[in-house]
């Protein structure tokens, strides 16, 4: 192999890969290393009132311990876990149902529906969250007015209910996107298998649940992985709805906590430590879900 | 295999070179030279000024026109807590900070204890003493040193709908007792359709002003230690008062600045607002259809006329500015010269009240008060400045304390159990002080 490639030819691939590694190092590896470094230090006042410039002290793992001891940080994870419990089943279940419906032999205008389902994803997340915020606001929202005419009083922004409103906004945005992924996977299911199922007497529903669903499970697993990892970075929906609802604190989710630690408290050590722990959790979660997914695929 | 690692060596070198290039591009650009403390028309001193406040760019331009020996370069930064203060902090640490910045009063101790501001007693103290009321001077003076020069002041006031006050047969309340009676009357007279006020029970700034009025001093210092007294008796009195009003459904309680709160006023379901001098401008732009129906009055009080101060901003010189003299000259102009106020408020949308009394006529001339039926709102607000309760100061941890307070106020929205929030705020503030290595007085 070496003998057949000239020197110039051999360096060509390296040249093509280089841009990736440059950006990878500069925008991911270097910041992570810097965060690791920052997480070991802490600014401390040098006098009782602190009118002299503060000094930066090496504190070891103290920042990590401080984050873990902070109930606000831990509550953030509970909030996200609760959010996932509501959001993931609704979003993935809904996307699967829509994909199977579009894929069923009885469906018509398939292209139209595919496009219609995907459309919400074309709206930027922040904008969507703002619009949903208005739709949840009594006095402004036609939805609330409509519910009121039937005597239904639902406080979308209340302390116990705002998490559903958040999950709803996110599900609206992502359901169609995942429908398209599932639909593409369904296209790859061999037609002979489906014909065989029909010949064996399976109806539409039976075919969908017993044949199609198991055959696209790898994309379902992949979607769950992306969704779960995405959910631990929850920021847009709660940050935007915070302007409308007093039920959401400024450090409601872990990312919001990190944001406030860095930009309100100027506690960069704490922010860096919390970020790294969040990243670690994300990595661990990806690992576990992939492992579980593989086992399920092999089973 | 071996060949692969050898061929990637140049690529790696290229990568490292590219990284180095990126790093140099990010750093660098050290502003200005160390010499030239005093400029001349031929060779003016260049100073830089960062702000996010409306009209400041035009103000800097106006300064440059009339001051040939100093040239101010303006740059707009994000609003304070939205990244502005952070940007200032990073710039000071990187050694490329501007010479002059704007900041809100409650951020002064925070920025001072981060070591971002210069002790400007020598440059600004005398000027500040000359024009700023004592209650405002206290906000920029820490440990006997002057750290910033006040620009405006926001005495808390009451805004009300003249037409609806008439319709529901109520007079403008002057005390909090009268206010409660008026609240009952509005509810009855409107058959439950309207309330006197939409209280912003999650807004720490409103609470701070109301507490200050009642005589509270949330923060202070004794010796070389910070003192936190958010749970003082005066604050308790205020919390209990509003608990009563919220629980008895005499006022609405929506989230501050939320669309729901705006809609409530638009629909005339709340007929008064607790604001500050600067609220006049935002009321005018937020509720254009209610022109001619609003008026401003002193805030109801607890027996003797007093009020709190909400908002307001100052000018400061940064820690390592090498042109403090020129910077101070610009700041003195910006805080005491009529031309500065006229340029800054030229857009006519701000009802900000300058801290210097002699500038208020100029400020007034920029604001069309026909929305307020021609009422002299500058006179109303200006008359309240001497009533601002003295002894109030902020602390380095107020921003992080606000986070806790706001979260807890949110929980009390329906129940009115605001006192629990203040208790949580007290604990959070104490923890934040020791967390930063500052000394806490017990």
């Amino acid at each position: 192999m070496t003998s057949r490639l000239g020197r110039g030819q051999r360096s060509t691939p390296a040249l093509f890969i280089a841009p990736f590694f440059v950006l990878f190092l500069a925008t991911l590896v270097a910041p992570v290393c810097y965060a690791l470094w920052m997480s070991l230090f802490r600014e401390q006042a040098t006098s009782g009132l602190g009118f002299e410039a503060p000094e930066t002290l090496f504190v070891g793992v103290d920042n990590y311990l401080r984050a873990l001891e902070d109930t606000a940080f831990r509550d953030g994870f509970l909030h996200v876990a609760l959010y996932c419990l509501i959001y993931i089943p609704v979003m993935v279940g809904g996307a699967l149902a829509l994909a199977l419906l579009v894929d069923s032999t009885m469906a018509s205008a398939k292209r139209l529906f595919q496009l219609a389902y995907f459309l919400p994803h074309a709206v930027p997340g922040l904008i969507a969250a703002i619009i949903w915020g208005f739709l949840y606001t009594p006095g402004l929202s036609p939805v609330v007015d409509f519910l009121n005419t039937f005597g239904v009083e639902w406080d979308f922004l209340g302390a116990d209910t705002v998490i559903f409103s958040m999950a709803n906004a996110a599900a609206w945005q992502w359901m169609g996107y995942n429908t398209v992924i599932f639909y593409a996977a369904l296209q790859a299911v061999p037609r002979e298998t489906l014909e065989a199922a029909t010949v064996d007497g399976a109806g539409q529903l039976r075919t969908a649940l017993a044949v199609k669903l198991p055959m696209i499970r790898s994309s379902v697993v992949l979607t769950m992985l992306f969704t779960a990892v995405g959910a631990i970075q929850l920021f847009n929906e709660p940050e935007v709805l915070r302007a409308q609802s007093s039920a959401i604190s400024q450090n409601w989710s872990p990312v919001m906590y990190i944001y406030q630690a860095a930009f309100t408290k100027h506690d960069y050590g704490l922010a860096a430590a919390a970020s790294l722990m969040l990243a670690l959790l994300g990595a661990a979660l990806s690992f576990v879900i992939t492992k579980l997914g593989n086992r399920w695929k092999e089973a | 295999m071996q060949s692969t690692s050898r061929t990637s060596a140049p690529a790696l070198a290229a990568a490292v070179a590219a990284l180095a290039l990126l790093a140099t591009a990010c750093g660098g650009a050290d502003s200005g030279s160390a010499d030239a403390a005093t400029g001349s028309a031929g060779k003016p001193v260049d100073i830089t000024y960062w702000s996010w406040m409306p009209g400041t760019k035009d103000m800097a331009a106006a300064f440059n026109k009339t001051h040939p020996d100093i040239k101010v370069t303006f740059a707009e930064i994000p609003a304070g807590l939205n990244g502005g203060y952070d940007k200032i902090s990073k710039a000071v640490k990187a050694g490329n900070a501007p010479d002059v910045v704007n900041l809100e009063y409650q951020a002064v101790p925070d920025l001072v204890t981060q070591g971002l501001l210069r002790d400007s007693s020598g440059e600004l103290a005398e000027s500040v003493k000359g024009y700023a009321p004592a209650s405002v001077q206290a906000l920029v003076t820490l440990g006997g040193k002057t750290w910033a020069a006040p620009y405006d002041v926001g005495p808390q006031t009451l805004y009300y709908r003249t037409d609806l006050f008439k319709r529901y047969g109520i007079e403008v309340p002057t005390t909090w007792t009268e206010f409660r009676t008026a609240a009952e009357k509005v509810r009855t007279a409107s058959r439950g359709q309207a309330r006197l006020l939409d209280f912003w029970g999650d807004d720490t700034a409103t609470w701070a002003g109301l507490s200050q009025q009642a005589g509270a001093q949330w923060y202070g210092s004794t010796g070389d230690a910070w003192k936190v007294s958010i749970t003082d008796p005066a604050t308790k009195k205020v919390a209990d008062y509003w608990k009563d009003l919220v629980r008895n459904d005499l006022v609405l309680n929506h989230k501050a600045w939320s669309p729901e709160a705006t809609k409530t006023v638009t629909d005339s379901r709340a007929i008064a607002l607790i604001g500050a001098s600067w609220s006049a401008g935002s009321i005018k732009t937020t509720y254009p259809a209610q022109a001619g129906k609003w008026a401003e009055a002193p805030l109801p009080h607890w027996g003797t006329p007093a009020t709190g101060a909400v908002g307001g901003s100052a000018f400061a010189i940064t820690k390592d500015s090498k042109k403090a003299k020129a910077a101070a000259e610009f700041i003195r102009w910006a805080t005491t010269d009529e031309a500065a106020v006229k340029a800054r408020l030229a857009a006519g949308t701000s009802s900000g009240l300058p801290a210097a009394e002699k500038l208020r006529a100029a400020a007034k001339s920029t604001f069309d008060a026909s929305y307020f039926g021609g009422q002299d709102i500058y006179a109303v607000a200006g008359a309240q400045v001497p009533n601002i309760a003295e002894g109030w100061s902020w602390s380095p941890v107020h921003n992080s304390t606000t986070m806790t307070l706001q979260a807890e106020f949110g929980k009390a929205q329906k129940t009115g159990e605001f006192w629990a929030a203040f208790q949580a705020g007290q604990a959070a503030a104490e923890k934040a002080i020791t967390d930063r290595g500052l000394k806490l007085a017990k």
Side-chain angles (χ1 to χ4, degrees), chain B residues 167-184:
Chain B
R167 187 194 298 170
Y168 300 137
I170 56 167
E171 296 291 320
V172 180
T174 56
T175 64
W176 288 117
T177 317
E178 286 177 26
F179 186 85
R180 193 186 189 284
T181 317
E184 281 174 340

Side-chain angles (χ1 to χ4, degrees), chain B residues 226-316:
Chain B
W226 288 98
K227 219 173 111 192
V228 181
S229 329
I230 297 175
T231 48
D232 64 1
T235 308
K236 176 88 165 81
K237 177 166 82 173
V238 176
D240 287 347
Y241 177 83
W242 290 102
K243 177 185 171 180
D244 168 53
L245 263 65
V246 168
R247 286 182 74 130
N248 288 306
D249 193 23
L250 293 173
V251 293
L252 299 168
N253 184 21
H254 288 134
K255 187 173 170 67
W257 307 104
S258 69
E260 194 175 3
T262 306
K263 181 79 174 144
T264 305
V265 175
T266 308
D267 293 351
S268 304
R269 280 183 288 124
I271 64 169
L273 283 171
I274 292 178
S277 46
W278 43 264
S279 306
S282 60
I283 290 173
K284 188 171 143 180
T285 41
T286 314
Y287 311 108
Q290 299 172 355
K293 296 174 178 170
W294 282 92
E296 189 180 12
L299 192 69
H301 55 73
W302 294 100
T304 40
T307 193
V310 179
S313 64
F315 286 81

Side-chain angles (χ1 to χ4, degrees), chain A residues 113-124 172-173 176-177 180:
Chain A
F113 280 110
Q114 253 180 289
L115 185 71
Y117 292 149
F118 186 77
L119 220 49
H121 194 72
V123 178
W172 175 82
Q173 174 130 51
Y177 175 82
V180 171

Side-chain angles (χ1 to χ4, degrees), chain A residues 53-260:
Chain A
E55 59 184 356
T56 306
L57 299 175
F58 179 82
V59 291
V61 294
D62 183 55
N63 287 327
Y64 293 87
L65 295 178
R66 274 201 302 143
L68 290 173
E69 276 167 13
D70 194 341
T71 44
F73 186 55
R74 294 202 306 259
D75 284 351
F77 286 101
L78 288 181
H79 293 151
V80 170
L82 189 62
Y83 167 82
C84 284
L85 276 180
I86 300 163
Y87 169 58
I88 296 183
V90 169
M91 195 277 286
V92 174
L96 265 177
L98 289 179
L100 288 169
L101 278 175
V102 176
D103 190 55
S104 77
T105 47
M106 294 184 299
S108 56
K110 292 184 181 193
R111 312 269 324 153
L112 176 76
F113 280 110
Q114 253 180 289
L115 185 71
Y117 292 149
F118 186 77
L119 220 49
H121 194 72
V123 178
L126 266 176
I127 310 284
I130 291 169
I131 305 285
W132 276 108
F134 283 120
L135 287 176
Y136 293 148
T137 303
L140 289 175
S141 164
V143 180
V144 177
D145 286 349
F146 180 74
L147 288 176
N148 282 348
T149 56
F150 291 97
V152 181
E153 294 278 347
W154 181 263
D155 181 3
F156 284 102
L157 302 168
D160 304 321
T161 49
V162 74
I163 196 160
F164 292 97
S165 310
M166 242 183 267
N168 174 57
W172 175 82
Q173 174 130 51
W174 288 93
M175 202 183 274
Y177 175 82
N178 289 304
T179 302
V180 171
I181 293 183
F182 293 152
Y183 182 68
L186 286 169
Q187 296 303 294
V189 172
R191 293 293 120 177
E192 309 85 73
T193 316
L194 299 179
E195 271 165 32
T198 317
V199 171
D200 284 349
Q204 286 281 352
L205 190 66
R206 185 80 193 271
T207 313
L209 296 180
V211 181
K212 288 179 181 175
L213 200 53
M215 293 194 83
I216 62 161
R217 63 188 167 196
S218 65
S219 27
V220 176
V221 169
L222 199 69
T223 298
M224 300 250 249
L225 168 77
F226 287 147
T227 308
V229 174
I232 64 167
Q233 297 175 20
L234 188 62
F235 185 80
N236 283 358
E237 285 86 4
E239 182 66 19
V240 169
L241 285 182
R242 196 165 69 74
Q244 263 102 340
S245 166
S246 350
I248 304 168
S249 62
Q250 276 167 284
N251 44 23
W252 192 86
S253 79
V255 179
M256 289 164 83
Y257 176 90
I258 291 163
Y259 178 82
Q260 295 297 340

Side-chain angles (χ1 to χ4, degrees), chain A residues 2 7 10-11 14-15 18 21-22 25-26 30 42-54 66 70 134 137-140 155 157-158 241-251 259-268, chain B residues 3 6-8 11 15 18-19 22 81-82 85-86 89-90 93 110 112-115 142-143 145 147 202 221 223-226 255-256 258-260 263 267 269 319 399-400 402-403 406-407 410-411 413-414 434-439:
Chain A
T2 336
R7 195 169 169 77
R10 271 183 280 131
S11 54
L15 205 65
F21 279 103
V22 170
L25 283 172
R42 183 174 171 192
E43 263 191 10
Q44 287 286 279
T46 49
S47 64
L49 290 173
F51 293 160
E52 292 75 41
R66 274 201 302 143
D70 194 341
F134 283 120
T137 303
L140 289 175
D155 181 3
L157 302 168
L241 285 182
R242 196 165 69 74
Q244 263 102 340
S245 166
S246 350
I248 304 168
S249 62
Q250 276 167 284
N251 44 23
Y259 178 82
Q260 295 297 340
F263 300 117
T264 304
K265 294 162 127 182
H266 321 291
D267 199 340
Y268 295 103
Chain B
S3 72
R6 218 189 315 143
T7 43
S8 66
L19 262 178
L22 213 68
L81 282 177
N82 290 338
Y85 296 138
D86 191 54
S89 146
K90 293 270 165 37
K93 279 168 195 160
D110 195 1
V112 168
T113 51
Q114 284 184 71
L142 297 172
K145 295 168 181 168
W147 300 91
D202 73 310
S221 58
D224 70 335
W226 288 98
K255 187 173 170 67
S258 69
E260 194 175 3
K263 181 79 174 144
D267 293 351
R269 280 183 288 124
K319 180 90 176 171
N399 287 337
S400 60
T402 299
M403 259 201 303
Q406 219 169 343
K411 292 179 192 163
Q413 195 183 26
K414 296 243 162 63
T434 46
D435 259 5
R436 276 173 73 163
L438 300 162
K439 207 162 149 193

Side-chain angles (χ1 to χ4, degrees), chain A residues 22 26, chain B residues 13-28:
Chain A
V22 170
Chain B
V16 170
L19 262 178
L21 205 70
L22 213 68
T24 7
C26 292

